[in-house]
mmCIF file of all heavy atoms in Angstrom:
data_model
loop_
_atom_site.group_PDB
_atom_site.id
_atom_site.type_symbol
_atom_site.label_atom_id
_atom_site.label_comp_id
_atom_site.label_asym_id
_atom_site.label_seq_id
_atom_site.Cartn_x
_atom_site.Cartn_y
_atom_site.Cartn_z
ATOM 1 N N SER A 282 -13.316 -40.034 38.833
ATOM 2 C CA SER A 282 -14.180 -39.974 37.646
ATOM 3 C C SER A 282 -15.535 -39.416 38.048
ATOM 4 O O SER A 282 -16.096 -39.814 39.064
ATOM 5 C CB SER A 282 -14.350 -41.375 37.048
ATOM 6 O OG SER A 282 -15.411 -41.393 36.102
ATOM 7 N N ILE A 283 -16.051 -38.496 37.236
ATOM 8 C CA ILE A 283 -17.419 -37.991 37.377
ATOM 9 C C ILE A 283 -18.134 -38.310 36.069
ATOM 10 O O ILE A 283 -17.668 -37.907 34.994
ATOM 11 C CB ILE A 283 -17.460 -36.475 37.631
ATOM 12 C CG1 ILE A 283 -16.681 -36.120 38.900
ATOM 13 C CG2 ILE A 283 -18.896 -35.976 37.727
ATOM 14 C CD1 ILE A 283 -16.537 -34.610 39.128
ATOM 15 N N SER A 284 -19.247 -39.042 36.145
ATOM 16 C CA SER A 284 -19.888 -39.492 34.906
ATOM 17 C C SER A 284 -21.343 -39.853 35.178
ATOM 18 O O SER A 284 -21.800 -39.857 36.323
ATOM 19 C CB SER A 284 -19.165 -40.723 34.348
ATOM 20 O OG SER A 284 -19.394 -41.859 35.185
ATOM 21 N N GLN A 285 -22.044 -40.191 34.107
ATOM 22 C CA GLN A 285 -23.335 -40.836 34.241
ATOM 23 C C GLN A 285 -23.092 -42.305 34.620
ATOM 24 O O GLN A 285 -21.960 -42.690 34.916
ATOM 25 C CB GLN A 285 -24.123 -40.696 32.937
ATOM 26 C CG GLN A 285 -24.493 -39.239 32.632
ATOM 27 C CD GLN A 285 -25.177 -39.064 31.298
ATOM 28 O OE1 GLN A 285 -24.801 -39.663 30.294
ATOM 29 N NE2 GLN A 285 -26.199 -38.218 31.257
ATOM 30 N N ALA A 286 -24.143 -43.116 34.607
ATOM 31 C CA ALA A 286 -24.003 -44.501 35.070
ATOM 32 C C ALA A 286 -24.390 -45.480 33.980
ATOM 33 O O ALA A 286 -25.022 -46.501 34.250
ATOM 34 C CB ALA A 286 -24.831 -44.721 36.328
ATOM 35 N N GLY A 287 -24.006 -45.163 32.736
ATOM 36 C CA GLY A 287 -24.231 -46.094 31.648
ATOM 37 C C GLY A 287 -23.413 -47.360 31.812
ATOM 38 O O GLY A 287 -22.389 -47.380 32.514
ATOM 39 N N TYR A 288 -23.845 -48.410 31.153
ATOM 40 C CA TYR A 288 -23.225 -49.728 31.311
ATOM 41 C C TYR A 288 -21.732 -49.690 31.028
ATOM 42 O O TYR A 288 -20.915 -50.145 31.839
ATOM 43 C CB TYR A 288 -23.920 -50.714 30.367
ATOM 44 C CG TYR A 288 -23.342 -52.121 30.396
ATOM 45 C CD1 TYR A 288 -23.940 -53.111 31.164
ATOM 46 C CD2 TYR A 288 -22.212 -52.468 29.651
ATOM 47 C CE1 TYR A 288 -23.415 -54.399 31.201
ATOM 48 C CE2 TYR A 288 -21.685 -53.744 29.676
ATOM 49 C CZ TYR A 288 -22.293 -54.707 30.451
ATOM 50 O OH TYR A 288 -21.771 -55.978 30.485
ATOM 51 N N ASN A 289 -21.336 -49.179 29.857
ATOM 52 C CA ASN A 289 -19.929 -49.224 29.468
ATOM 53 C C ASN A 289 -19.064 -48.414 30.416
ATOM 54 O O ASN A 289 -17.974 -48.855 30.818
ATOM 55 C CB ASN A 289 -19.761 -48.703 28.034
ATOM 56 C CG ASN A 289 -20.271 -49.675 27.003
ATOM 57 O OD1 ASN A 289 -21.207 -50.429 27.258
ATOM 58 N ND2 ASN A 289 -19.679 -49.671 25.823
ATOM 59 N N THR A 290 -19.530 -47.217 30.786
ATOM 60 C CA THR A 290 -18.741 -46.367 31.671
ATOM 61 C C THR A 290 -18.548 -47.032 33.025
ATOM 62 O O THR A 290 -17.438 -47.043 33.578
ATOM 63 C CB THR A 290 -19.427 -45.003 31.850
ATOM 64 O OG1 THR A 290 -19.580 -44.388 30.571
ATOM 65 C CG2 THR A 290 -18.611 -44.093 32.743
ATOM 66 N N VAL A 291 -19.598 -47.602 33.580
ATOM 67 C CA VAL A 291 -19.491 -48.260 34.885
ATOM 68 C C VAL A 291 -18.547 -49.461 34.804
ATOM 69 O O VAL A 291 -17.725 -49.671 35.710
ATOM 70 C CB VAL A 291 -20.886 -48.668 35.395
ATOM 71 C CG1 VAL A 291 -20.782 -49.694 36.521
ATOM 72 C CG2 VAL A 291 -21.649 -47.441 35.871
ATOM 73 N N ALA A 292 -18.643 -50.248 33.741
ATOM 74 C CA ALA A 292 -17.737 -51.394 33.599
ATOM 75 C C ALA A 292 -16.284 -50.933 33.536
ATOM 76 O O ALA A 292 -15.389 -51.544 34.156
ATOM 77 C CB ALA A 292 -18.100 -52.193 32.349
#
Side-chain angles (χ1 to χ4, degrees):
S282 167
I283 301 173
S284 70
Q285 294 176 318
Y288 178 98
N289 287 31
T290 302
V291 163

